[in-house]
Amino acid sequence: MLRQRITLTQFLIEERRRFPQASGSFNSLVLSVALACKVLSTKVAYGSLMGLHGAVGETNVQGEAQQKLDVLANETFLHCLEWGGHVRGMLSEEMEDPWLAESADGEYLIAFDPLDGSSNIDVNVSVGSIFSILRAPGEGRRAVAGDFLQPGTRQVAAGYAIYGPATMFVLSVGRGTHGFTLDPEIGEFLLTHPDMKVPAETKEFAINASNSRFWEAPVRRYVEECLAGSTGPRGRDFNMRWIASMVAEAHRILTRGGVFLYPRDTKDPGKAGRLRLLYEANPVGMLMEQAGGRASTGMGPMLEVEPTAPHQRIGLVFGSRSEVERIERYHAEPVPEPDSDTPLFNLRGLFRPGSN
Ligand code: F6P
């Protein structure tokens, strides 16, 4: 196996040759993330054998029920990353305040969701870890929480691990998006999916349709047209998927195309969306764009959004470029409210329009 494939470490060394002045700190940081993901891959694979299933009975900073594995995943990330001294700060979905190093030595900041899609743990469906790496701003000073508020265009690297039938580590350091599969015998990630590309066209969309009554008109129009299939304006049939694990959804789209929507909606006016900008939308955005896809708020490029808060939520659309651009176009065009003759949205239809 090793004769045919390069390891993640070898890949990072090759990439580093482009930056003769690099200290090795960045590579060490990525390898620490990969180590945390290997640890979690093992824990997830034990299923309920280690007593790690179920909720801890607490809610996290997002108001979501924390699973035992969420807590373990967070501790694993903190432990693996703190040791190396390469990070000046860590922002996690599981912690209200970021962890800030005592010293100013670390060159990087990392934001992560250590276990994304954790409602899937107990039902044995794929979950993942997702992260975004930024440069720590300000020479010679400790990090502050505000340092994380950088747009996604400033990401140095982004990636995720997916704990599925096989464990994979998907990474971009700004030159394409590359997939590595964990060889459990040797404990190494091997490059199996170099230069992943999101097909520009697709016939597959992913959205939580139970929220349809809260959607804004452009999203309703898009989904209605997909559902109308070959009898509607798109002139072809579409497939729908929803795993409720964004990392797994992103992985499917990187592999065979598609579009994912968790749009801004009116379900909870206090929330601008469901997913988090700094450790979900931005890293997935970088991975998609580096693979020729697109990531958007629905209105414009995700990676250009200026963050305002560490745990900020946002509407997120990503995947095949032409579909994401179509959704942006629908947001830009004035859209007539669906009328009662529209079969999919009338009173007996599958997706009724909201009263908003
Ligand atoms: O972290 C949020 C998350 O678990 C994503 O991975 C997933 O896409 C989404 O929530 C699922 O949300 P819902 O339960 O509303 O379908």
Side-chain angles (χ1 to χ4, degrees):
M1 194 73 87
L2 270 177
R3 287 226 178 99
Q4 295 147 18
R5 309 216 181 260
I6 67 163
T7 64
L8 175 62
T9 313
Q10 289 167 327
F11 172 87
L12 289 169
I13 290 169
E14 291 294 336
E15 283 294 310
R16 195 181 136 200
R17 289 194 212 286
R18 293 190 296 127
F19 303 97
Q21 74 291 1
S23 63
S25 173
F26 173 75
N27 284 4
S28 205
L29 167 57
V30 174
L31 290 173
S32 302
V33 178
L35 174 64
C37 296
K38 283 194 255 186
V39 173
L40 290 176
S41 167
T42 312
K43 305 284 183 216
V44 169
Y46 270 102
S48 49
L49 291 174
M50 285 174 97
L52 288 172
H53 277 189
V56 285
E58 307 274 324
T59 51
N60 65 11
V61 54
Q62 320 289 339
E64 290 157 2
Q66 249 183 339
Q67 306 292 314
K68 289 181 194 160
L69 267 171
D70 281 325
V71 176
L72 180 85
N74 193 49
E75 284 165 3
T76 305
F77 261 72
L78 294 177
H79 175 76
C80 290
L81 294 173
E82 187 182 346
W83 182 84
H86 307 297
V87 285
R88 214 181 292 175
M90 296 189 249
L91 171 69
S92 164
E93 191 205 8
E94 301 302 329
M95 305 186 304
E96 180 142 23
D97 298 316
W99 173 93
L100 302 170
E102 297 284 320
S103 88
D105 294 345
E107 290 173 58
Y108 299 97
L109 300 173
I110 184 164
F112 50 80
D113 180 351
L115 205 66
D116 175 67
S118 54
S119 68
N120 281 320
I121 296 166
D122 289 359
V123 290
N124 203 14
V125 170
S126 298
V127 288
S129 304
I130 182 161
F131 63 93
S132 158
I133 298 177
L134 298 161
R135 250 177 219 293
E139 278 289 302
R141 65 156 174 85
R142 289 188 61 198
V144 293
D147 291 346
F148 288 93
L149 305 183
Q150 303 184 38
T153 45
R154 302 250 282 272
Q155 291 174 107
V156 177
Y160 63 76
I162 175 167
Y163 313 115
T167 292
M168 286 191 66
F169 190 77
V170 175
L171 177 71
S172 177
V173 295
R175 272 215 319 167
T177 294
H178 309 280
F180 302 80
T181 304
L182 181 64
D183 180 335
E185 274 181 17
I186 59 170
E188 286 281 354
F189 283 112
L190 302 181
L191 182 63
T192 47
H193 297 60
D195 216 5
M196 298 171 90
K197 291 281 173 239
V198 181
E201 300 291 336
T202 183
K203 291 183 175 177
E204 208 158 64
F205 68 102
I207 191 164
N208 181 344
S210 70
N211 292 326
S212 60
R213 69 186 187 284
F214 305 112
W215 292 340
E216 294 178 331
V219 172
R220 270 196 239 136
R221 173 184 175 192
Y222 178 76
V223 173
E224 182 188 4
E225 289 181 2
C226 291
L227 292 171
S230 54
T231 61
R234 302 300 303 272
R236 62 181 199 265
D237 290 334
F238 279 75
N239 231 348
M240 193 172 91
R241 290 284 181 275
W242 188 249
I243 309 174
S245 175
M246 190 200 68
V247 164
E249 236 72 77
H251 193 69
R252 185 190 61 247
I253 289 172
L254 274 172
T255 311
R256 69 175 189 213
V259 62
F260 170 100
L261 302 94
Y262 214 123
R264 187 179 74 177
D265 63 30
T266 59
K267 191 172 183 178
D268 179 349
K271 289 182 186 164
R274 165 102 167 81
L275 301 178
R276 275 52 59 115
L277 173 60
L278 291 180
Y279 40 83
E280 291 181 312
N282 275 347
V284 89
M286 179 171 182
L287 293 164
M288 289 293 145
E289 304 247 338
Q290 287 289 322
R294 186 166 172 85
S296 170
T297 59
M299 267 68 72
M302 180 59 66
L303 299 184
E304 288 176 16
V305 173
E306 290 286 343
T308 53
H311 296 288
Q312 179 179 351
R313 294 178 190 258
I314 197 147
L316 171 61
V317 178
F318 67 80
S320 297
R321 180 163 280 277
S322 60
E323 293 301 306
V324 178
E325 285 170 351
R326 174 182 289 269
I327 294 163
E328 287 176 333
R329 222 167 41 240
Y330 288 4
H331 277 89
E333 287 170 8
V335 185
E337 279 298 310
D339 64 56
S340 55
D341 294 333
T342 309
L344 288 158
F345 285 101
N346 67 19
L347 289 180
R348 288 203 202 94
L350 187 52
F351 297 133
R352 289 182 204 162
S355 51
N356 49 309

